[in-house]
Amino acid sequence: AQKITQTQPGMFVQEKEAVTLDCTYDTSDQSYGLFWYKQPSSGEMIFLIYQGSYDEQNATEGRYSLNFQKARKSANLVISASQLGDSAMYFCFLSRGSSASKIIFGSGTRLSIRP
Amino acid sequence: NAGVTQTPKFQVLKTGQSMTLQCAQDMNHNSMYWYRQDPGMGLRLIYYSASEGTTDKGEVPNGYNVSRLNKREFSLRLESAAPSQTSVYFCASSDGLAGGNNEQFFGPGTRLTVL
């Protein structure tokens, strides 16, 4: 069975520091994708970054990067130079390439940035 | 472009009442999804549609029905609402294969309370 685990329910980080949000997954599929989304207190879901299981390079999008360790089945999100606006819930989700029925979200990490 | 729109934004129902949540996207996406988000949890997939005229069950389909009316619209119906269906409902759409490696675009959500 597929499974996603985000082990950090909440984190506090000082503004301008880097932060790593953990995400581990379990799947027997060879082809899959890992997504990170941000959910501010206003409730909308904002796409941050995507990593495919066959991608050789770690994904990067501006201040966001993904530390993808396939053998360890982890896909941690790294936010560099955190900003007050980064305070939000962050969700990791796993998607199998050919079947949407196996989309699974993690329980999320609430990140709070201290000024 | 409006992206993904959902109506209504808020709804209160009594146990046993029925209602339909509407979702529309203007990005010409093939795939559409319905999720629910319970307090303090990640999203769970209810149903998805890989193309016009097709629908498939996700992780938590019981108590719901869906209709993919055309390429733009994907509705979610609660035939007999129960308090356990109190949640925030998100509609999303993506290009390409359902559950594939494409970013999902989310609507603003519908907050449903069943008394």
Side-chain angles (χ1 to χ4, degrees):
Chain A
Q2 298 199 142
K3 188 177 177 183
I4 279 268
T5 304
Q6 293 183 255
T7 57
Q8 306 149 311
M11 290 184 72
F12 287 88
V13 171
Q14 204 66 32
E15 190 179 8
K16 298 181 185 175
E17 288 184 351
V19 56
T20 298
L21 305 181
D22 294 342
C23 174
T24 59
Y25 60 93
D26 188 15
T27 180
S28 56
D29 296 310
Q30 296 301 307
S31 175
Y32 54 88
L34 291 144
F35 295 78
W36 278 92
Y37 276 77
K38 171 184 178 181
Q39 187 177 43
S41 56
S42 52
E44 72 265 36
M45 296 291 289
I46 302 167
F47 169 75
L48 296 178
I49 198 165
Y50 165 80
Q51 180 84 41
S53 58
Y54 293 121
D55 293 342
E56 293 183 357
Q57 305 268 2
N58 284 347
T60 60
E61 291 283 351
R63 293 188 300 114
Y64 304 107
S65 61
L66 210 150
N67 183 2
F68 182 49
Q69 298 187 43
K70 193 171 179 177
R72 298 181 62 183
K73 294 189 174 179
S74 73
N76 299 338
L77 176 70
V78 180
I79 305 174
S80 63
S82 56
Q83 302 170 354
L84 296 177
D86 294 333
S87 293
M89 283 290 288
Y90 288 80
F91 293 100
C92 173
F93 91 77
L94 175 68
S95 173
R96 179 183 161 185
S98 59
S99 176
S101 66
K102 295 192 177 182
I103 288 174
I104 295 183
F105 272 76
S107 55
T109 295
R110 181 172 298 281
L111 177 64
S112 300
I113 308 298
R114 292 194 183 110
Chain B
N1 281 353
V4 179
T5 57
Q6 292 182 235
T7 56
K9 286 188 168 54
F10 301 93
Q11 184 71 48
V12 178
L13 293 177
K14 294 181 179 176
T15 297
Q17 287 185 318
S18 63
M19 79 160 295
T20 299
L21 280 64
Q22 306 286 354
C23 173
Q25 52 93 7
D26 62 2
M27 295 172 282
N28 202 37
H29 287 165
N30 290 322
S31 303
M32 297 186 73
Y33 314 81
W34 275 106
Y35 295 90
R36 61 177 287 173
Q37 184 178 27
D38 298 322
M41 295 180 65
L43 279 68
R44 290 184 292 169
L45 183 65
I46 305 171
Y47 271 93
Y48 68 98
S49 169
S51 62
E52 182 180 347
T54 69
T55 62
D56 286 287
K57 295 177 181 178
E59 183 185 356
V60 289
N62 290 347
Y64 305 95
N65 287 304
V66 290
S67 295
R68 183 75 181 268
L69 305 168
N70 47 55
K71 194 169 186 180
R72 288 188 66 246
E73 297 171 290
F74 189 36
S75 61
L76 178 73
R77 182 161 178 83
L78 287 71
E79 291 291 351
S80 179
S84 60
Q85 294 178 305
T86 293
S87 191
V88 179
Y89 291 84
F90 286 97
C91 177
S93 70
S94 68
D95 204 0
L97 291 174
N101 61 357
N102 294 306
E103 172 190 352
Q104 292 188 26
F105 293 80
F106 284 80
T110 294
R111 188 174 295 273
L112 175 67
T113 302
V114 183
L115 302 174

